[in-house]
Structure formats: C-alpha cells, structure tokens
C-alpha cells in the first residue's frame, strides 16, 4: 500500500525516542479497522513528540511514569521486606517505629511527590499556553459527521481531511463543530481539543520538521467516528506557500473531450447538491469541496486511499465503504462514470 509505505518512510527519519511499544499501543486510539481497509494506518504516538506542545505533554507523561515506577518499586520492596523478615517480638518500641514509618511513608513522601507533580503540571500548562500574539497562519477546521472541513480564511482555500502547515512555525487551528461534538487530536503535535457546537476553540500546533502527522477524531461522534481521520502535512515554508497559491486557484476548464463530458455529468447530476468546485456553478457547502480533490491522499476522511478504483467505488456505493456516512450512491452508466472519474482525477 503506497500510502502507508510512503508515510512510514517519510516519518522514519525523525523517529527519535523509542519508547516502550506496549505502552504506546495501549495509548493509541483503536484504529485497527483503518489498517484492514487500506485507509491511513495508525502509526502516531503521543510519546513520539514532533513539536513543542507535544514535547511538553510527553515530558509530563514521562515524569508521571518514572515517579509511578519508583513508588511501585519502593512499595514492593517494603512489602517484600515485611513478608520475608523474621518476626520480631511484639513490643512498644516496634509500634513506635511503625508510627514514624506511617507518618513519613503515608504522609510526607506522598505530599512531596504530589507537590513535584503539581509544580511540573503548572509549568507544563504555562508551556502550552499560546503567546498573546496570533500565529502567522490560521486554519479553520470544522468537524462534520464524518469528515473534516479545512479552511484557510485569509487565502480563500477550502479543502478536506488534510491540513497543510509550514514546518517550524506556529499555526492556530480554530476548531468549530458543524453538527455534534468532535475532538481534534494529532498526538505527535499536541493534546486533544474538543470541537463544540456554538463555541470556537483554538489550538496552536507546530511541527519541528517537514513530515506527515496523523490526526484522529477523539470524541465518539457516531457510527463512523473511528473513520474520521485526517493528515497534518508540514512542508518547508516555500513549499507550503506554493501549495496555498495552487489551492486558491479555481479548477481549470477541461480541454479534453472525455473530461469535458465528465464535467457535464458532474454538473447535471446529484453531485452539485452537496459539493463545490470553484470555477464552476457547483458551490454547495454541505459536502467536502472538490476543487482540488485529485491532490488529496485519501477519500472519506482517511478511510481509503485516493485512487481511481476507490473513487469509483465511493461514487457508486459509498455506504459499502463507510456505512452511515452522508453520501448517497449515484447511479451512472459505465461511460458516464468513466467520464466523471476522468474529470475528478483531473482536478489536481
Ligand atoms: Cu468525529 Cu468522533
């Protein structure tokens, strides 16, 4: 599967810390289904931070892990000592010793440890708080059942399920819910933040280096919650600027007869009731914008790879690929379907 191979190749260059994989697995959102169906496989870990915010969270996690480990080891050692030592004759002196031990082990030590955790947590919260100045790039992300609408309000760009950002620069993600509560989570870049109807939340993410970072809806939002995946693609700033400029262009008018026919099929069919393609009369806001659909990696929010076969399957029988999604199947003759596919695949 080229998508996952490519992604892991790109990512392998900056896998710095090799944490205990068992722990990582236990933390990961169950997304086994994605790997099975050929969508984006889950390979993201909060313990493999690739940005300042995720690093702050991972540092706190490791502090808790090692403190917890130390407490566990000490308690087990004391328990073993108590079980294995020879019983001393029960006397007043022994009880007095015991009281001192209960005071230090049950009160002083836990208070000291909790104080350290409390202080470190406050420091982490301060590290995560965005500075007052707004980031250079703002992205509006709207959660829908079951896909992500992605808008660049300053650049008139609308796309879906892929968030391109410049590497090494802070980016403000404005989170809005289109229907129910969702949660935006890119474990390698930041913690989770909910998308709540009627409220806008802002999360500032930053990726250290160019690469692909997988995101996942982390709040149960309906039957296809697990298939609400997205990609954050961090690019060198000049590449990002070029991407933004290209995405802001309307779709090119087709010259090829087959593609022209495909455009006619699209514009005269049911597609236009939900989708938009800039540069045509199709401008409905309900479904994912298709202006540059061919440039995207996946279909149906990370459910399947974006290739002509999957696109054909998605158009004809989307409920088979992602049951419960909002897209109805479209009845087309084989010629019309081929033409429509040629048109959509030309929208790079
Ligand atoms: Cu959207 Cu879970």
């Amino acid at each position: 599967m080229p998508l996952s191979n490519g992604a892991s190749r790109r990512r392998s260059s900056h896998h710095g810390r090799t944490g205990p994989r068992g722990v990582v697995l236990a933390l990961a959102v169950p997304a086994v289904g994605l790997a099975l169906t050929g969508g984006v496989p889950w390979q993201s870990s909060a313990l493999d931070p690739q940005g300042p915010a995720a690093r702050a969270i991972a540092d706190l996690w490791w502090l808790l892990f090692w403190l917890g480990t130390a407490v566990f080891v000490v308690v087990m050692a004391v328990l073993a000592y108590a079980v294995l030592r020879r019983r001393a004759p029960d006397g007043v002196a022994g009880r007095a010793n015991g009281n001192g031990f209960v005071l230090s082990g049950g009160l002083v030590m836990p208070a000291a440890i909790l104080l350290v955790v409390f202080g470190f947590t406050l420091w982490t919260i301060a590290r995560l708080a965005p500075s007052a100045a707004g980031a250079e790039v703002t992205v509006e992300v709207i959660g829908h059942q079951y896909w992500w609408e992605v808008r660049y309000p300053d650049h008139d760009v609308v796309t879906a399920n892929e968030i391109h950002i410049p590497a090494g620069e802070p980016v403000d993600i404005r989170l809005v819910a289109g229907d129910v509560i969702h949660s935006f989570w890119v474990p390698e870049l930041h913690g989770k933040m909910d998308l709540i109807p009627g409220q806008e939340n802002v999360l500032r993410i930053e990726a250290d280096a160019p690469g692909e970072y997988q995101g996942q809806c982390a709040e149960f939002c309906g039957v296809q919650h697990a298939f609400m995946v997205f990609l954050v693609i961090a690019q060198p700033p000049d590449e990002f600027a070029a991407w933004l400029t290209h995405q802001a262009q309307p779709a090119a008018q087709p010259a090829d007869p087959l593609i022209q026919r495909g455009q006619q099929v699209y514009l005269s069919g049911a597609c236009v009731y939900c989708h938009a393609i800039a540069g045509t009369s199709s401008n409905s806001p309900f479904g994912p914008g298709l202006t540059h659909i061919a440039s995207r990696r996946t279909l149906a929010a990370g459910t399947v790879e974006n290739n002509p076969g999957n696109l054909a399957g998605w158009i004809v029988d989307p409920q088979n690929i992602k049951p419960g999604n909002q897209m109805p199947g479209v009845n087309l003759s084989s010629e019309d379907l081929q033409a429509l596919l040629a048109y959509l695949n030309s929208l790079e």
Side-chain angles (χ1 to χ4, degrees), residues 144 146 148 180-183 216-222 225-226 228:
H144 298 276
Y146 304 94
W148 305 87
V180 300
I181 300 177
H182 305 272
S183 180
Q216 164 74 41
C217 181
E219 175 70 38
F220 183 74
C221 54
H225 154 73
M228 205 170 150

Side-chain angles (χ1 to χ4, degrees), residues 182-204:
H182 305 272
S183 180
F184 181 94
W185 190 29
V186 192
E188 288 169 314
L189 299 184
H190 211 308
K192 300 169 190 169
M193 191 170 276
D194 279 4
L195 294 79
I196 298 169
Q199 183 183 326
E200 183 183 284
N201 289 335
V202 180
L203 194 70
R204 183 166 295 179

Side-chain angles (χ1 to χ4, degrees), residues 222-238:
V223 286
Q224 290 297 334
H225 154 73
F227 287 94
M228 205 170 150
V229 178
F230 60 98
L231 278 176
V232 173
I233 300 174
Q235 297 171 296
D238 52 333

Side-chain angles (χ1 to χ4, degrees), residues 66-266:
W66 289 118
L67 273 177
T69 304
V71 168
F72 179 78
V73 168
V74 168
V75 168
M76 286 302 120
V78 172
L79 183 67
Y81 172 73
V83 169
L84 298 176
R85 72 169 180 163
R86 293 189 56 195
R87 271 180 180 281
D90 205 12
V92 179
R95 271 204 297 279
N97 259 341
N99 287 343
F101 179 73
V102 166
L103 262 181
S104 62
L107 208 64
V108 178
M109 258 173 55
I113 290 170
L114 289 178
L115 213 64
V116 169
V117 171
F118 181 61
F120 204 88
T121 303
L122 289 183
W123 184 57
T124 304
I125 291 172
R127 281 171 83 187
L128 291 177
S131 56
E136 282 280 306
V137 179
T138 298
V139 187
E140 192 173 77
V141 174
I142 303 155
H144 298 276
Q145 285 172 318
Y146 304 94
W147 60 282
W148 305 87
E149 183 178 343
V150 179
R151 292 176 167 269
Y152 294 75
D154 305 331
H155 301 271
D156 214 17
V157 166
V158 182
T159 182
N161 308 317
E162 271 186 23
I163 303 168
H164 289 243
I165 61 170
E169 290 178 22
V171 175
D172 278 344
I173 308 282
R174 281 163 39 192
L175 299 167
V176 183
D179 36 44
V180 300
I181 300 177
H182 305 272
S183 180
F184 181 94
W185 190 29
V186 192
E188 288 169 314
L189 299 184
H190 211 308
K192 300 169 190 169
M193 191 170 276
D194 279 4
L195 294 79
I196 298 169
Q199 183 183 326
E200 183 183 284
N201 289 335
V202 180
L203 194 70
R204 183 166 295 179
I205 61 170
E206 181 179 337
D208 296 332
E212 290 180 6
Y213 308 95
Q214 281 167 30
Q216 164 74 41
C217 181
E219 175 70 38
F220 183 74
C221 54
V223 286
Q224 290 297 334
H225 154 73
F227 287 94
M228 205 170 150
V229 178
F230 60 98
L231 278 176
V232 173
I233 300 174
Q235 297 171 296
D238 52 333
E239 253 178 54
F240 169 73
W243 177 85
L244 209 51
T245 307
H246 177 70
Q247 294 283 317
Q249 305 292 316
Q253 280 306 310
D256 179 276
L258 179 69
I259 298 177
Q260 278 174 346
R261 177 175 169 184
Q263 190 187 42
Q264 278 315 305
V265 171
Y266 174 85

